[in-house]
Amino acid sequence: MIRLGTGRLERIVAVGAHCDDIAIGAGGTLLSLCRARPGLRVDALVLSGGGTEREQEEQEALAAFCPGADLRLTVDKMPDGRLPAHWADAKAAVEELRARTEPDLVLAPRTEDAHQDHRGLAELMTTAFRDHLVLGYEIVKWDGDLGRPVVYQPLTPGAAEDKVRLLQEHYPSQRHRPWYDREAFLGLARIRGIESNARYAEAFAVTKLTVDLGG
């Protein structure tokens, strides 16, 4: 398995169309990075859920997923499932985030995601952060849109278990969903671990990547 490093990360941007997207797609990666690098700056943007119980869930959840980090979270009020109709507002939110951040890594939805909100945000991110490493996380759901990832972040068993526990603990509003359970989250992490020669992993898509091989 080929392993490439990014050097020391100081700043991360993480975005989601909905509260819980970031934690589902990249919660284990955030846990691992923040535990390894106390004081890491994390700028997070969520486009929907502002002013509802979901905003409170997201604030508490991301604080738990980013222990010791300098977390700065914005939760906007765009309606769930209607991002295409609010394209100008979504673009403005992403551009405002870009104007105040210069991240070493960006975590965002995949451009191939079947959900229109996820897909739309992904398209905005690769344009606004065109000179940055943007990793597209995956969200398991009924659409059956999981693809063939090319980037993996191995997770220790402890990090994988902590991710599942925090998802169940901090998002009670989502527990009624038939796919929102321990088996789904840990099962996908195990499959991605097999693919990357690890016990567990989170997987990402990347649209463009420049490498410096030296010489």
Side-chain angles (χ1 to χ4, degrees):
M1 180 63 61
I2 299 172
R3 294 180 180 268
L4 298 175
T6 61
R8 183 169 180 82
L9 300 177
E10 302 290 345
R11 290 183 167 217
I12 293 177
V13 159
V15 300
H18 317 101
C19 297
D20 80 8
D21 284 356
I22 296 170
I24 292 174
T29 297
L30 284 174
L31 272 172
S32 300
L33 290 175
C34 291
R35 286 172 173 172
R37 299 172 175 85
L40 180 69
R41 167 83 173 264
V42 179
D43 288 277
L45 169 67
V46 178
L47 294 183
S48 64
T52 72
E53 65 173 345
R54 300 215 62 196
E55 179 176 4
Q56 184 64 32
E57 286 183 346
E58 188 74 340
Q59 290 174 344
E60 295 176 359
L62 287 192
F65 275 101
C66 301
D70 177 10
L71 174 63
R72 308 183 187 195
L73 169 64
T74 300
V75 182
D76 216 323
K77 297 182 178 181
M78 296 176 210
D80 186 353
R82 298 291 185 270
L83 187 147
H86 296 265
W87 187 258
D89 292 336
K91 183 174 177 61
V94 168
E95 290 180 343
E96 190 278 331
L97 174 65
R98 174 66 187 94
R100 60 182 170 84
T101 57
E102 190 61 55
D104 303 307
L105 171 66
V106 178
L107 301 171
R110 299 179 304 130
T111 55
E112 301 83 5
D113 196 297
H115 194 296
Q116 67 274 10
D117 291 357
H118 302 170
R119 188 170 62 251
L121 177 56
E123 292 171 356
L124 287 170
M125 294 302 294
T126 54
T127 299
F129 291 85
R130 64 177 68 244
D131 295 321
H132 299 78
L133 175 60
V134 180
L135 297 183
Y137 56 72
E138 55 185 356
I139 298 179
V140 61
K141 51 188 177 300
W142 67 270
D143 301 87
D145 63 350
L146 295 179
R148 188 172 183 178
V150 295
V151 178
Y152 297 85
Q153 171 61 50
L155 302 177
T156 65
E161 291 284 357
D162 286 345
K163 172 184 175 177
V164 173
R165 175 180 57 81
L166 292 174
L167 284 171
Q168 293 293 331
E169 179 180 335
H170 287 287
Y171 296 104
S173 67
Q174 303 304 298
R175 292 176 190 155
H176 68 283
R177 299 185 183 277
W179 54 267
Y180 197 94
D181 59 35
R182 170 186 169 82
E183 289 178 313
F185 298 133
L186 203 59
L188 180 58
R190 178 67 185 116
I191 290 172
R192 297 317 190 197
I194 292 171
E195 295 172 348
S196 58
N197 195 29
R199 182 63 186 175
Y200 298 105
E202 286 179 335
F204 301 88
V206 61
T207 55
K208 186 182 292 187
L209 178 65
T210 300
V211 297
D212 182 357
L213 301 179

